[in-house]
Amino acid sequence: MQARSPSDELVAVYDAAGAVTGVAARGEVYARSLWHGSAGVLLRSGDGKRVYVHRRSPEKLVMAGLHDCWAGGVVGPGETPERTAARELAEELGVSRVPLQPLFALDWDEAAQVPGGPRCHLFAFEARWDGPVVHQPSEIVCGGWMGLGELRARLADPDWPFVPDGRLLIERWFAERGGQPAATA
């Protein structure tokens, strides 16, 4: 049986206010800049001092080969953002059955500045984990734990290839903590 293309995957379509309005193929959502939802999990060490940072596969449909500190993906039909976050954390990093702490939600509307840019409601969660991390090879090529201060310094480098929506989320996360890489916040 031939595998379906990632662009054929069905995702929930939202309106600008954040209500689910229907379903469309991922490729159509991206091509038409339709509002959709995405949930991500910031995986932190048990003591909160480190974050798991990974590099996306060069075969990814969007943002291929970039770094990210959020395990996540698009909200599927009938899924809640929390269910999406748990599913993506298990698929991408092999971490399951951990409590997810809801953090915040924000809108990312690149189409307002760049015609054809993505429009996405981003739902952020956090989990703590000290166990093994197992990458899904089709999604992630490498990764490792990074101290919060080091992550903050790397993000200050405009040449570090980091996913734009992940940057938006982690900058908000740091801002909510007074800009400090607090260990247990």
Side-chain angles (χ1 to χ4, degrees), residues 152-171:
R152 185 86 172 166
R154 296 291 303 267
L155 289 166
D157 178 357
D159 293 327
W160 192 40
F162 201 86
V163 296
D165 57 337
R167 181 180 295 274
L168 186 67
L169 289 170
I170 196 63
E171 286 176 353

Side-chain angles (χ1 to χ4, degrees), residues 11-147:
V11 300
V13 175
Y14 287 67
D15 64 18
V20 176
T21 61
V23 174
R26 182 193 292 253
E28 179 184 358
V29 168
Y30 294 161
R32 295 181 46 210
S33 294
L34 299 177
W35 280 101
H36 60 289
S38 179
V41 180
L42 183 67
L43 186 62
R44 295 175 68 190
S45 58
D47 64 7
K49 294 180 181 179
R50 297 172 296 142
V51 171
Y52 198 83
V53 178
H54 61 274
R55 188 154 197 168
R56 295 166 60 92
S57 165
E59 285 80 37
K60 292 286 288 179
L61 189 59
V62 294
M63 299 179 229
L66 303 182
H67 291 94
D68 200 354
C69 61
W70 301 87
V74 296
V75 177
E79 276 189 323
T80 64
E82 184 171 9
R83 174 65 193 118
T84 299
R87 175 179 52 80
E88 292 288 343
L89 181 61
E91 287 175 3
E92 292 183 4
L93 302 181
V95 177
S96 59
R97 295 186 198 92
V98 295
L100 296 181
Q101 175 189 349
L103 296 174
F104 52 82
L106 54 87
D107 295 336
W108 181 43
D109 187 1
E110 284 294 304
Q113 290 82 30
V114 179
R119 288 185 157 146
C120 189
H121 299 288
L122 304 170
F123 301 95
F125 296 85
E126 180 179 310
R128 301 286 180 106
W129 179 254
D130 286 322
V133 173
V134 180
H135 300 151
Q136 181 180 28
S138 63
E139 300 265 348
I140 297 173
V141 294
C142 61
W145 293 101
M146 184 178 288

